[in-house]
């Protein structure tokens, strides 16, 4: 493991220095200036997270192509688990909710209960609905549906203290000594019985295992935005997660849901720190997951991920504004890790995990400042000329780095006939990949501006509170999109005008950034069109395996429909 980590460090450091040298030469060729130095520094600040994602995906791609069992090759715990071992421990399946659509949660819960009962192992599992809702009509619906179900335990806290993490910890402390494991689910989570039993068997066979995370995939969606996003994310996450599982090993990721946790070490070692609200980034942690994983590892327990798609699903936001809201909540939560990086007792890999989560959001403001510095560098005048081949290579090299996880995931599927058929055949797979590439080019500048604006707001006391996200697809009015995305439009206009003034010939190079910014409003509206989503479903564009298998989708079974009716009656 130490050799693997040294290899990853060497690959990232070499590529970081190489690209930095090329950018430095470009500055030298055009004439050094204060703005040019700023461009170089900001480029180097924004680069590490992109490089790490690239190398993770390259490593994962090689393993997926060469290993007979990639999941077991990257996770020693799977090799130590007897197949079909009897279930001997009690597991609490916990669904944390706050102001959610009760019928949708009830449908997913009913599906999982029925699936577990069919295995004959249901006696070893309890279902707990842990509510932090405080809106009277939603509370009444929750009590009517969940409070009346035999075998489902419903509990509602009067206060949302500590957000989701506080809700789960309250339950864990109360259940300690009676329950062995806790399966954490979000309101939009769904897991098959086979996947749940697999997690429990692995945890039973490995007493040093504290957290076991699944590779979560997006469920079939009708929203155009969600369909395209989860198509690309699914390909990218498969290669990326396989790569990180190979070199992170027992210090793996925890993403906060669809994961099994050993209760005793969670309660004993993973209490989250709370800082005063008046402090910058103070208060309760919004992103609890990676902190709990870091504390679990510091206590000597292992945190591992199973890098395989095997019956663990989530829903993705159906519209761009909903996606931005969720991402900014993660942004605030990840930046809160700045208070914890220097905490005594953490292992080096734990500190790295926290720093990596922070770096995920530092690239956005660095990129905006880099664009600004680049324009200023052009206004300062240049004394030289950059070879066209070098500029061309640097430009498309950076695009390749960003797209590599998705491209390698698609390539890995294309190399296997059985996998190609699961994804609808080569033509549909390639059509989905091209659609996702255009989608990613468009959404990149939008998220860059949204994250930068939010991070600046954090410095002046702006905060996000934990609320339920929009999960039901619906159209997006043009006016609503314009009110939320005017900063992107403004940046695109100012950046385009500045380039026209400084260097008209560079406008084609800046087209991805300009198009994503200037067309942000129509892009948001079009990707929310229900009619477009229905057409994509009909032709199979951006389809994922299992889309036609209705038994995997909550809301299609007679049992699920009956729950919708019960909620309406309540």
């Amino acid at each position: 493991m130490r050799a693997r980590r040294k290899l990853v460090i060497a690959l990232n450091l070499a590529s970081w220095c190489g690209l930095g040298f090329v950018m430095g030469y470009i500055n030298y060729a055009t004439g050094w200036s204060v703005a040019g130095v700023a461009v170089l520094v900001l480029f180097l600040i924004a680069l590490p997270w992109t490089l790490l994602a690239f190398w993770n995906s390259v490593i994962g791609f090689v393993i997926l192509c060469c290993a007979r069992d990639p999941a077991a090759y990257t996770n020693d715990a799977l090799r130590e688990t007897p197949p079909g071992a009897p279930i001997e421990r009690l597991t609490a399946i916990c669904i944390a909710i706050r102001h959610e659509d009760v019928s949708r949660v009830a449908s997913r819960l009913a599906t999982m209960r029925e699936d577990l009962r069919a295995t004959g192992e249901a006696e070893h599992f309890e279902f707990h609905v842990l509510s932090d809702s405080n809106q009277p009509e939603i509370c009444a619906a929750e009590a009517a549906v969940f409070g009346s179900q035999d075998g489902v335990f419903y509990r509602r806290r009067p206060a949302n203290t500590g957000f989701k993490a506080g809700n789960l910890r309250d339950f864990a402390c109360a259940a300690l000594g009676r329950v062995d494991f806790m399966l954490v689910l979000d309101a939009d989570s769904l897991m098959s019985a086979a996947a749940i039993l697999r997690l429990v068997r692995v945890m039973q066979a490995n007493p040093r295992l504290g957290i076991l995370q699944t590779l979560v995939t997006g469920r079939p969606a009708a929203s155009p935005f969600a369909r395209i996003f989860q198509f690309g994310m699914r390909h990218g996450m498969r290669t990326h997660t396989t790569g990180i599982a190979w070199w992170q090993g027992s210090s793996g990721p925890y993403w906060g849901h669809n994961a099994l946790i050993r209760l005793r070490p969670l309660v004993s070692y993973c209490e989250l720190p709370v800082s005063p609200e008046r402090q910058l980034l103070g208060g309760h942690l919004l992103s609890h997951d990676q902190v709990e994983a870091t504390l679990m590892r510091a206590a000597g327990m292992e945190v591992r991920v199973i890098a395989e798609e095997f019956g663990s699903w989530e829903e993705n936001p159906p519209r761009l504004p909903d996606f931005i809201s969720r991402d900014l909540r993660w942004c605030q939560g990840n930046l809160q890790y700045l208070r914890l990086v220097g905490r005594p007792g953490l292992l080096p890999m734990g500190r790295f995990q926290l720093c990596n989560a922070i770096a995920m959001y530092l690239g956005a403001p660095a990129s905006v400042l880099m664009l600004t510095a680049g324009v200023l560098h052009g206004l300062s005048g240049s004394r030289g000329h950059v070879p066209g081949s070098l500029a061309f290579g640097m430009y498309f090299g950076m695009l390749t780095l960003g797209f590599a996880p998705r491209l390698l995931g698609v390539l890995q599927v294309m190399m296997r006939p059985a996998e190609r058929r699961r994804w609808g055949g080569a033509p549909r797979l390639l059509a989905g990949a091209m659609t996702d590439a255009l989608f990613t080019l468009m959404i990149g500048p939008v998220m860059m501006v949204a994250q930068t604006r939010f991070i600046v707001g954090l410095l002046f006391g702006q905060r996000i509170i934990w609320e339920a996200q929009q999960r039901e697809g619906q159209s997006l009015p043009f006016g609503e999109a314009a009110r939320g995305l005017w900063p992107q439009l403004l940046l695109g206009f100012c950046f385009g005008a500045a380039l026209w003034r400084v260097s008209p010939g560079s406008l084609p190079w800046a087209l991805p950034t300009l198009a994503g910014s200037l067309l942000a409003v129509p892009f948001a509206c079009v990707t929310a069109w229900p009619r477009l989503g229905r057409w994509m479903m009909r032709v199979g564009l951006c389809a994922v395996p299992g889309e036609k298998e209705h038994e995997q989708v909550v809301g299609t079974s007679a049992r699920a429909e009956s729950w919708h009716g019960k909620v309406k009656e309540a």
Side-chain angles (χ1 to χ4, degrees), residues 389-400:
S389 58
L390 178 62
F392 182 87
M394 186 68 170
Y395 180 77
F396 282 97
M398 292 306 299
L399 283 180
T400 301

Side-chain angles (χ1 to χ4, degrees), residues 51-118:
L51 286 177
L52 183 60
F54 168 77
W55 286 115
N56 284 337
S57 300
V58 170
I59 293 170
F61 173 77
V62 172
I63 293 172
L64 287 168
C65 291
C66 299
R68 181 174 299 177
D69 186 352
Y73 179 73
T74 57
N75 189 338
D76 292 339
L78 298 183
R79 305 178 192 178
E80 302 168 10
T81 304
I87 303 299
E88 300 171 345
R89 302 295 184 89
L90 180 62
T91 299
I93 300 176
C94 298
I95 306 173
I97 61 174
R98 176 172 168 82
H99 302 153
E100 296 286 347
D101 184 322
V102 178
S103 63
R104 294 170 71 88
V105 177
S107 296
R108 284 183 278 270
L109 188 150
T111 299
M112 288 185 284
R113 291 186 70 195
E114 288 180 351
D115 206 13
L116 273 173
R117 275 197 290 265

Side-chain angles (χ1 to χ4, degrees), residues 475-490:
S475 59
L476 178 65
F478 189 89
E480 180 183 341
R483 285 192 296 273
L485 298 170
W486 65 264
Q488 283 80 357
L489 180 62
L490 180 62

